[in-house]
Every structure is written in C-alpha cells, then in structure tokens.
Amino acid sequence: MAAPETPPAERSYGGRMPRAVIASGAGRYADPWHPYPETSAALADLLRADGWDARVIADPDVALTQLAGAELLVVNAGDPWRNPDAAPAVDPAAEAGLAAALDRGIGVVATHSAVSSLRDYPAWSRTIGGEWKNGSSWHPEIGDASVRAVVPGHDIVPADFTAFDERYTDLAVDAAVHVLAVHDLDGVAHPLVWTHEATPGRMPVRAVVSALGHDARAYDSAELRAVLARAARWSARLDP
C-alpha cells in the first residue's frame, strides 16, 4: 500500500505544521449580518485539511497579540466603526503584535468584511491594499455570484467559478494591487480577489484579499475553498 501523501504545507516546512491565526469577528468586530463563528470554522477546516495548525481566536484584538511564531494571519471580522458614534479603541498590545508580525513578513489573508476591519490599525489597510468605503462601497443582493478570473491559469485563481455569496462592489482598491478575479456589473469589472506585496517593516509582506465569504453557503464552493487554500500558501511563501 502506498504511503499517504504529505500535505503541501507540511512538506514545505520539513514535517512541521505551519501555524495560522484566524482573527474572528466578535465583540466590537461582530455585526448582525455575518455569522463569523461559522465562516471562521470553515476557514480553519480548509486550512487544516491543507496541513496547517489553524487556531481561531474570537477577538481580533486578542488575536493580534498571539502572532509570535505564526506564519499566517487570517482576518475574518467586521467593522469596529460601524456605529458612527464609536470612538477609536487602539489596543497597544494588539498594535505592537501586528507591527511585529508585519515587520518579520507574516503572510496575510483578508476575507470578505476584513476589508472594513481593524480600522484602528492603519497598517492593516495599507498592507492589504484596499478597503470598504462607507457611503460608496456596496453589494447587490446575495445570490449565485459569477467570479471571473482575470489571469487564467494563475496559481491562486486559475479559472472562473461560482459561489453563493455577496459581490462587494466599488471597493477602494490601490493601484498597486494585482487583481486576480472580478465580478462584472453593468459593464464594469469590480475586484473580488487580489494580491498585494507591501513592506510595512523589515521584511516584505504578501497579502491576499478575497472579498468573498459572507456566510457558510459561500464555503460550499469547492473552488472558493481551493482559492483560499492556495492564497494561504502563497502569502506564507509555501510551495504551491
């Protein structure tokens, strides 16, 4: 009988499972629309299936203090400023933890509403290369979303696919990002998946943004799960 294949992530780390921290929406990062416990569990499952030691922390401020030794930060959380009366609430330990992780070049994956999250930490939006702008960003009714690959054959998004999801529209996306997938609406292509390479510290950081993943139904798409698994490997510089 042939030996079972070693997951790609484990192969790349010489038998050690790389560690991923999933910062999941809770407290001021929760909202009435997104079931973060479900989607973060789906993210953890797909990462573990690909050889990661994935840990979900249901408080992004706490998660940012737990990044030492982690190869990947996944943010799956909401907008702490959704209440217009909300005051900035910088957690010094979280700010220091994020800065230290970015300084050493941790991999970053931002899913769905993460484009509106961690607003108290300006390094976040600079690292991911875009954000949801209140008053101009929006999305059509949730439903079957057709996602078009901009660079067919690319390692992360090789082909078109569909998912039951929200299609974020009119996001503020930096010119420096590399758009990999879009949705088309009224003749306009709106970025849904992109990569961004930034140097907020000593080492370059690879970030992947997937604006998909509203609820657990999105993760029923095998193609979306595969995109996120490949995004994690690329951002953490694992072998494809």
Side-chain angles (χ1 to χ4, degrees):
M1 179 182 297
E5 182 180 357
T6 303
E10 195 168 323
R11 284 203 304 269
S12 298
Y13 273 75
R16 177 177 71 82
M17 295 176 69
R19 190 161 73 86
V21 172
I22 301 171
S24 184
R28 68 193 186 105
Y29 294 97
D31 60 48
W33 311 287
H34 298 99
Y36 293 114
E38 294 178 16
T39 51
S40 292
L43 283 162
D45 286 346
L46 71 87
L47 289 174
R48 288 167 185 153
D50 202 38
W52 290 83
D53 173 10
R55 178 187 178 195
V56 177
I57 300 179
D59 183 330
D61 291 323
V62 172
L64 296 182
T65 70
Q66 303 296 309
L67 299 178
E71 282 75 34
L72 181 69
L73 166 64
V74 180
V75 176
N76 181 48
D79 185 354
W81 293 1
R82 68 190 180 280
N83 180 345
D85 298 324
V90 176
D91 181 321
E95 186 174 43
L98 177 61
L102 295 176
D103 187 58
R104 63 179 173 80
I106 192 171
V108 169
V109 173
T111 63
H112 199 55
S113 59
V115 294
S116 66
S117 198
L118 300 185
R119 293 197 188 270
D120 295 305
Y121 310 103
W124 175 245
S125 62
R126 293 197 299 267
T127 297
I128 65 173
E131 63 181 338
W132 174 283
K133 285 288 190 183
N134 292 329
S136 57
S137 300
W138 62 290
H139 61 78
E141 189 75 20
I142 192 170
D144 290 325
S146 296
V147 181
R148 177 168 60 87
V150 175
V151 189
H154 190 277
D155 287 344
I156 297 175
V157 188
D160 300 351
F161 66 95
T162 61
F164 190 89
D165 215 333
E166 289 178 338
R167 294 170 290 157
Y168 278 7
T169 302
D170 292 327
L171 297 173
V173 180
D174 295 351
V177 309
H178 184 199
V179 176
L180 301 180
V182 300
H183 78 89
D184 297 297
L185 184 65
D186 298 330
V188 178
H190 296 273
L192 284 175
V193 182
W194 67 81
T195 63
H196 187 233
E197 298 190 59
T199 311
R202 294 177 298 111
M203 301 295 292
V205 172
R206 285 181 169 185
V208 180
V209 174
S210 167
L212 298 164
H214 173 77
D215 61 27
R217 293 172 293 182
Y219 291 90
D220 289 338
S221 168
E223 292 87 354
L224 177 58
R225 295 196 305 272
V227 164
L228 291 167
R230 292 189 292 263
R233 294 181 217 156
W234 180 84
S235 62
R237 294 179 170 81
L238 300 179
D239 292 339

